[in-house]
Structure formats: structure tokens, C-alpha cells
């Protein structure tokens, strides 16, 4: 069984000020001053659409910390989700006996993976044998710093679409679904799966 839990959320990828500039909303306009909460919410919604384990890109956008648990310690290592991997903070093994062992830096090695998932492998004289391990828990940091401009622009475009179209359909002479206009910008960042 695998579990994945975010333990530290990223800072906003797009600021309220950037979104307001993109939307051409000024603080002097009394009709839109109260929209700050709405725009902040739309930024969070547009970011969540792309970010994390449920996001369209299936990767970490801004720098964030995660805890990933995996049954056993496969010979090929543990593939960490949500690239790009920045660092591995801790690796803890729970043995079949119930004992928990924290591995030190020399006990494991990390293959960063670049834009693809990173991997954690036992190294050298690891104090635990892979067949003794019931669960491995890895705390790691992932995400872009800085976030690529196409992703930031797609978030701004999505915020603008949601801001201008507050319903899921618009009524003119026909009903038209409101699309996410920035998907073409982020397609190069979407993780590909083969199989």
C-alpha cells in the first residue's frame, strides 16, 4: 500500500497583485475592491488544478514537502512521485518485527531524476535488509524554483477565465462550456505515462 501526504504547502505561485494586474483590476475601482478574496480563491483553485497528486500535471509546481510511504524496499528503489525532486530529508524503515530504523545519509542514495520522478535506493552496507522491511517512509521536498513562466501564465489565464465566467456555462444564443485556456501552455510539463 502507498500513501502520500503533503506536510508543507508551497508559497503561492502567483500573487494577488500579479493576478489583479493580469485581470486589469485596480484598487481604485470601488466595485472590485471586495474581489480580493474571490481572486485569491481563484488563484488557489487554478493552482490546485495543475499541482500535486490530483493535479493535471502530476508534479509539484512550487517548492513543497511530502511524506511518501511504500510497502517494502524494492531492489530498484522507491520511485518518489511529484517531480521535480529537490531533496530527501529522511528515510525511515519499519521492519516486519515492528522496529523502526531511521536511515542515515550513507545508508541510502538518491537519484534525483530531473523532470522525471526521483528514486531512493539502499546504499552500500545499509543497516536493513530489503526483505526485512515492511514499510519505507520518505520525507522529501519537490517543486520548481522558480516556477516556469508557461505554468504561471496558464494559472493566470485560468484565473481570468474563472473570474470572467463565474458559472460553468454561459448563455448567449447557445450554451458553451468554459474551457481552461492555458492547457496548451502546460502540456510540455505534463508527466507522460507509458504502459
Amino acid at each position: 500500500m502507498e500513501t502520500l501526504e503533503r506536510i508543507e504547502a508551497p508559497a503561492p505561485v502567483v500573487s494577488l497583485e500579479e493576478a489583479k494586474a493580469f485581470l486589469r483590476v485596480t484598487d481604485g475601482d470601488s466595485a472590485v475592491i471586495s474581489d480580493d478574496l474571490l481572486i485569491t480563491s481563484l488563484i488557489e483553485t487554478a493552482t490546485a488544478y495543475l499541482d500535486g497528486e490530483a493535479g493535471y500535471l502530476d508534479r509539484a509546481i512550487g517548492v513543497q514537502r511530502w511524506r511518501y510511504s511504500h510497502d517494502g524496499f524494492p531492489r530498484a528503489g522507491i520511485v518518489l512521485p511529484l517531480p521535480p525532486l529537490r531533496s530527501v530529508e529522511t528515510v525511515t524503515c519499519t521492519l516486519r518485527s515492528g522496529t523502526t530504523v531511521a536511515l542515515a545519509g550513507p545508508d541510502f542514495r538518491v537519484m534525483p531524476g530531473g523532470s522525471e520522478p526521483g528514486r531512493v535506493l539502499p546504499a552500500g552496507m545499509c543497516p536493513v535488509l530489503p526483505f526485512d522491511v515492511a514499510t519505507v517512509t520518505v520525507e522529501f521536498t519537490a517543486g520548481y524554483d522558480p516556477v516556469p513562466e508557461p505554468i504561471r501564465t496558464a494559472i493566470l489565464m485560468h484565473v481570468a477565465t474563472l473570474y470572467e465566467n463565474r458559472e460553468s456555462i454561459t448563455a448567449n444564443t447557445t450554451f458553451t462550456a468554459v474551457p481552461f485556456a492555458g492547457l496548451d501552455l502546460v502540456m510540455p510539463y505534463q508527466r507522460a505515462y507509458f504502459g
Side-chain angles (χ1 to χ4, degrees):
M1 183 172 136
E2 299 176 14
T3 61
L4 182 62
E5 171 191 9
R6 188 184 337 233
I7 54 178
E8 185 179 320
V13 173
V14 172
S15 72
L16 174 62
E17 293 73 26
E18 289 173 306
K20 287 171 75 172
F22 191 83
L23 296 170
R24 296 182 188 97
V25 170
T26 61
D27 287 329
D29 186 353
S30 61
V32 294
I33 289 176
S34 62
D35 280 358
D36 283 6
L37 289 175
L38 171 63
I39 295 168
T40 299
S41 174
L42 295 178
I43 292 168
E44 292 170 5
T45 299
T47 302
Y49 183 81
L50 299 176
D51 186 43
E53 66 177 321
Y56 178 80
L57 298 180
D58 194 25
R59 60 180 64 242
I61 295 176
V63 177
Q64 51 198 280
R65 289 195 58 201
W66 291 83
R67 181 180 297 117
Y68 179 64
S69 295
H70 185 281
D71 286 345
F73 210 147
R75 282 182 186 252
I78 294 174
V79 177
L80 298 175
L82 306 175
L85 177 64
R86 299 188 66 77
S87 62
V88 171
E89 281 70 46
T90 64
V91 178
T92 307
C93 298
T94 302
L95 305 181
R96 297 190 189 285
S97 65
T99 306
T100 300
V101 177
L103 301 185
D107 300 330
F108 64 90
R109 60 190 171 106
V110 177
M111 298 174 64
S115 66
E116 294 308 313
R119 190 179 296 262
V120 175
L121 300 118
M125 299 299 290
C126 185
V128 298
L129 298 173
F131 56 80
D132 283 339
V133 176
T135 307
V136 177
T137 302
V138 181
E139 287 191 13
F140 65 98
T141 301
Y144 294 104
D145 185 20
V147 175
E149 272 314 305
I151 294 175
R152 289 174 32 78
T153 301
I155 290 170
L156 288 167
M157 291 173 71
H158 197 177
V159 168
T161 301
L162 294 171
Y163 185 77
E164 295 299 324
N165 303 281
R166 298 183 193 187
E167 291 84 25
S168 59
I169 57 172
T170 59
N172 293 332
T173 54
T174 61
F175 290 101
T176 306
V178 176
F180 175 16
L183 283 182
D184 56 337
L185 292 174
V186 298
M187 280 188 175
Y189 298 94
Q190 186 181 27
R191 285 191 45 210
Y193 292 93
F194 303 99

